[in-house]
Amino acid sequence: MRTPSYRAVFFDLDGTLLPMEIDEFMRSYFGALGAYVARFGVPFEAFKAGMLAGIKNMASHDDGRPNDQAFWEGFFAHVDAGACDWGEELASFYEHEFGALGQGVAPNPAAARAVEALAAKGYPLVLATMPMFPERAVRWRLAWAGVDADRFARITTFDNSTSVKPKPAYYAESLAAAGLAGADVLMVGNNTVEDLGIRALGADAFLVTDCLLDPTGGFDLASVRHGSLERFADWAEALPVCERPAEGIERGLVDAAARDRVLAECLDSAADAAASGTGFVVNGVEG
């Protein structure tokens, strides 16, 4: 079966490039950040309530604001905004203390191999990770994975994204940033809901099964390319050189009108393909 001519490759991070047990990581993260802000007189329970409210706001808001604004709104409903210079102190935490959370992470060499193979073939790369962290934290997590963050033309973060996975609007922002349609993109992820949500916009996908997450259960693996990260790296090394790479990919916030236009066009195209039976479907890893 044919291989599409991808113009860019999108990667998930946690469970895909980074082999991490996310619940355990979040406990360590909350503990470290809670201890850090305690020095400013912030009780841990208030901090925890603020973090949970901020995360909930990022996941649920639909008003076009960057996720970081939605986060701070929820956070400061429980935490004293005047306790410290929050921007300065959190920048210090992520620069100096956050990195220690990855000391026990053992990277999968196939992550760097896949990324380097695609970069060498001219494929622009986008890190389509859940945009609930600042960029410094995401760069640390890429370092834990043994992956060069500078290989990515765009990294989704809480200050350059206005939505979250698996909402189509989240993926439409990065498509608009790259000047692409969904059909131009390969998404590589491990979550059948969050990462494969981009298929609603016509994108192709490779599901990495090392840390497979299937939140709703019963996903048909035969409906998408799939395999271990090592198998994906092998497959990436066999891909042809990128013929028409996306250019000028925007790193920051995307114009809302551009996002909405891409979203509408991709949804229409995907619906037309489904209705005509011409949608691209593959069986298993070989494609």
Side-chain angles (χ1 to χ4, degrees), residues 11-43:
F11 277 97
D12 172 56
L13 179 52
D14 297 312
T16 300
L17 293 175
L18 179 62
M20 173 176 286
E21 208 293 305
I22 192 63
D23 290 337
E24 180 180 339
F25 164 71
M26 290 302 292
R27 285 192 293 271
S28 298
Y29 168 55
F30 268 48
L33 185 52
Y36 185 86
V37 302
R39 69 187 67 178
F40 308 116
V42 178

Side-chain angles (χ1 to χ4, degrees), residues 177-264:
L180 299 175
D184 297 321
V185 169
L186 172 71
M187 176 70 198
V188 185
N190 71 305
N191 190 305
T192 62
V193 174
E194 291 184 356
D195 300 326
L196 298 192
I198 193 173
R199 295 210 300 173
L201 302 184
D204 196 9
F206 190 109
L207 189 65
V208 174
T209 54
D210 301 86
C211 303
L212 179 66
L213 293 176
D214 185 16
T216 58
F219 179 80
D220 180 10
L221 283 175
S223 68
V224 66
R225 283 189 176 92
H226 64 276
S228 67
L229 186 59
E230 184 174 4
R231 190 108 184 249
F232 173 73
D234 291 341
W235 187 76
E237 288 176 341
L239 283 176
V241 170
C242 185
E243 295 179 353
R244 289 195 309 130
E247 299 179 352
I249 298 177
E250 175 61 53
R251 298 192 66 90
L253 277 169
V254 173
D255 179 72
R259 175 203 62 206
D260 292 345
R261 182 174 62 254
V262 167
L263 180 60

Side-chain angles (χ1 to χ4, degrees), residues 3-276:
T3 298
S5 298
Y6 306 122
R7 299 186 61 200
V9 178
F10 289 14
F11 277 97
D12 172 56
L13 179 52
D14 297 312
T16 300
L17 293 175
L18 179 62
M20 173 176 286
E21 208 293 305
I22 192 63
D23 290 337
E24 180 180 339
F25 164 71
M26 290 302 292
R27 285 192 293 271
S28 298
Y29 168 55
F30 268 48
L33 185 52
Y36 185 86
V37 302
R39 69 187 67 178
F40 308 116
V42 178
F44 184 78
E45 288 306 315
F47 159 77
K48 182 178 179 181
M51 287 292 290
L52 292 175
I55 291 170
K56 181 179 179 180
N57 271 13
M58 287 192 288
S60 62
H61 83 104
D62 194 24
D63 51 22
R65 290 181 298 164
N67 290 342
D68 62 336
Q69 293 183 17
F71 171 81
W72 290 119
E73 180 183 68
F75 185 76
F76 289 137
H78 299 272
V79 175
D80 179 10
C84 65
D85 183 331
W86 286 98
E88 180 178 323
E89 293 300 338
L90 288 186
S92 177
F93 170 80
Y94 285 114
E95 182 63 37
H96 302 293
E97 308 211 12
F98 185 85
L101 298 177
Q103 288 180 349
V105 176
N108 184 339
R113 184 160 68 91
V115 167
E116 293 301 321
L118 291 166
K121 292 173 184 289
Y123 290 91
L125 305 179
V126 170
L127 190 71
T129 183
M130 185 67 87
M132 291 187 174
F133 284 92
E135 183 172 343
R136 187 65 185 98
V138 181
R139 285 178 167 268
W140 272 120
R141 287 154 59 212
L142 282 166
W144 302 342
V147 173
D148 183 357
D150 290 335
R151 292 301 190 194
F152 294 90
R154 176 177 174 83
I155 295 173
T156 59
T157 62
F158 78 162
D159 56 353
N160 74 356
S161 302
T162 65
S163 190
V164 298
K165 297 179 184 182
K167 297 177 182 178
Y170 163 75
Y171 287 108
E173 285 187 323
S174 285
L175 291 173
L180 299 175
D184 297 321
V185 169
L186 172 71
M187 176 70 198
V188 185
N190 71 305
N191 190 305
T192 62
V193 174
E194 291 184 356
D195 300 326
L196 298 192
I198 193 173
R199 295 210 300 173
L201 302 184
D204 196 9
F206 190 109
L207 189 65
V208 174
T209 54
D210 301 86
C211 303
L212 179 66
L213 293 176
D214 185 16
T216 58
F219 179 80
D220 180 10
L221 283 175
S223 68
V224 66
R225 283 189 176 92
H226 64 276
S228 67
L229 186 59
E230 184 174 4
R231 190 108 184 249
F232 173 73
D234 291 341
W235 187 76
E237 288 176 341
L239 283 176
V241 170
C242 185
E243 295 179 353
R244 289 195 309 130
E247 299 179 352
I249 298 177
E250 175 61 53
R251 298 192 66 90
L253 277 169
V254 173
D255 179 72
R259 175 203 62 206
D260 292 345
R261 182 174 62 254
V262 167
L263 180 60
E265 291 173 352
C266 287
L267 289 174
D268 286 346
S269 295
D272 290 343
S276 64

